[in-house]
Each structure stands twice: as structure tokens, then as C-alpha cells.
Amino acid sequence: AQSVTQLDSQVPVFEEAPVELRCNYSSSVSVYLFWYVQYPNQGLQLLLKYLSGSTLVKGINGFEAEFNKSQTSFHLRKPSVHISDTAEYFCAVRKTGRRALTFGSGTRLQVQP
Amino acid sequence: GAGVSQTPSNKVTEKGKYVELRCDPISGHTALYWYRQSLGQGPEFLIYFQGTGAADDSGLPNDRFFAVRPEGSVSTLKIQRTERGDSAVYLCASSLDGTSGTGELFFGEGSRLTVL
């Protein structure tokens, strides 16, 4: 079975500072990797996904993530955050051949002025 | 509608009662998923439909939980003999893709279930 660990439950950061949200996974088989964002009172929204190919993936709103197979990580980064980035961020994996996503417990990003 | 619609948005019930939660996916989306999100946790997979059939129901916690999608569009999640531990936000998602499974999932805002 696969599992997803998001090492930080909360990340406070000042506006315009860079941020990295960490995600590690464990799986004995190939996986697809995803980051979802949940803004207050809204549904989960896909930020970016890694299926194959280039290990650096760019998503919406200036976010990017890098797949590191040797470290089994898929950390999310943004060089300069905005107040509007305040939200809950979820890392998720899906085993190839299955449809079920396994989510991490989430990281709350709090951007302060 | 433009997005995935879930009703009710909030449901309070008593222990032992029966509950139905409805999901109306984006028109034309063949795949439909149910997830459950407990407080402070990420969503947990329950069941996946491809068309009318449940292609993977391995996440349903026990036989009190059941879901249907009779016409391949709207789905209903049914919970019998509710328990306090069933309290959570139940999320529905849909996607356009067929067998590849790489398409984007679009989530609804969820139905918050509280069992007293």
C-alpha cells in the first residue's frame, strides 16, 4: 500500500517570501503524483500533476513541484507568495492502474502581510 | 451546472438513522468518485464509478455504506445505521477521462455530515 506524508501541518510565511511545502510518499510500484489546493469554503482544485517525463512540473498560480524518485519526494514550491495563496494544500499519489488517490493530511499555508 | 454539485451541504442526524448524500457531476463526465474527509485529515477514497458500475469500492469502510449511480450521471451515497464516527465531510469528484485515469478530478464542496 502507498502512503503520503506531509511533514508540516502549518507553514506561516510573509507575503512575497518563497515557500516550500514538503511531501514524501512510499510505494513499491510506480505512482502518479498530484498537488491539490483547497481555498476556504471551496472544493479541492488541482494545482499540478506528475505523470511521466520531466521531473519539474509547473502548475497554476506560479506553483511548481519536483519529482525526486530516489528520495520519494514531490515538494511544492513558489518563489514569491501572495496573501491569496492562503489555503490548505494536499499532496496525493495514485498507483498506476488504479483510480483511487491517497492523500496526505494537508499543510495549511498562512501568508501574512 | 458548471461544477460538481453536492446536496445537502450540511446534514445533522441522530445515531442509528439512515442518510443519503447526493452528487451531481459535471455533465459528460464518465468517472465519479466519493471521498470522505475527517477533521484534520486528507480525503480518504471510498468508491469509484465508471459509468453506471462501481469499478472500485475497496474504500467503503463496511456494509453500512453503499453508493449507486443508476443512469451514469447523478450518484447517491447511502449510509445505514449511522454512527458518530461517520461524522465527516463527504466529497464527490468527477472526471472526463475514460480508462486512462490521468484526467483532472473536479471536486464538489462536500456534504458535511454530523451524527449526534
Side-chain angles (χ1 to χ4, degrees):
Chain A
Q2 64 263 29
S3 66
V4 180
T5 302
Q6 291 185 245
L7 297 166
D8 305 297
S9 60
Q10 291 190 69
V11 173
V13 63
F14 288 108
E15 194 173 17
E16 297 183 8
V19 71
E20 178 180 83
L21 306 184
R22 296 180 291 171
C23 173
N24 287 86
Y25 69 94
S26 65
S27 177
S28 58
V29 298
S30 295
V31 296
Y32 299 138
L33 296 154
F34 305 81
W35 275 97
Y36 281 83
V37 60
Q38 188 170 33
Y39 297 106
N41 300 315
Q42 294 187 28
L44 285 157
Q45 178 182 357
L46 181 66
L47 263 182
L48 48 79
K49 60 185 177 184
Y50 172 78
L51 303 180
S52 64
S54 172
T55 57
L56 183 62
V57 180
K58 294 192 183 296
I60 62 171
N61 300 340
F63 283 92
E64 63 181 32
E66 185 154 20
F67 170 53
N68 188 319
K69 188 174 182 179
S70 62
Q71 296 186 7
T72 60
S73 68
F74 191 54
H75 301 333
L76 181 71
R77 302 186 184 99
K78 185 169 182 178
S80 175
V81 294
H82 303 289
I83 295 285
S84 60
D85 292 323
T86 295
E88 187 94 20
Y89 292 79
F90 293 94
C91 181
V93 303
R94 184 165 69 78
K95 197 164 59 172
T96 54
R98 283 203 68 204
R99 293 298 193 97
L101 285 169
T102 299
F103 284 86
S105 55
T107 297
R108 180 167 297 280
L109 177 64
Q110 297 170 298
V111 182
Q112 303 164 359
Chain B
V4 177
S5 175
Q6 292 188 245
T7 54
S9 55
N10 274 288
K11 175 71 177 179
V12 180
T13 191
E14 293 179 344
K15 181 175 177 296
K17 299 290 188 183
Y18 170 80
V19 165
E20 287 190 354
L21 306 175
R22 174 190 167 107
C23 173
D24 199 342
I26 293 173
S27 178
H29 280 194
T30 57
L32 185 145
Y33 306 76
W34 284 99
Y35 285 80
R36 176 170 70 173
Q37 188 173 16
S38 301
L39 193 64
Q41 300 297 318
E44 174 192 19
F45 171 77
L46 295 177
I47 187 170
Y48 150 61
F49 287 89
Q50 185 63 248
T52 60
D56 183 355
D57 64 357
S58 62
L60 294 177
N62 51 60
D63 61 6
R64 296 187 297 105
F65 288 75
F66 190 71
V68 295
R69 195 186 184 198
E71 297 178 358
S73 178
V74 171
S75 176
T76 305
L77 178 66
K78 308 180 182 199
I79 310 173
Q80 298 178 320
R81 304 182 305 280
T82 52
E83 299 177 358
R84 292 193 181 88
D86 299 335
S87 296
V89 177
Y90 289 81
L91 301 173
C92 178
S94 69
S95 68
L96 183 59
D97 63 312
T99 56
S100 71
T102 57
E104 177 177 352
L105 264 63
F106 293 84
F107 281 84
E109 294 183 18
S111 293
R112 181 177 298 278
L113 175 65
T114 302
V115 181
L116 301 178

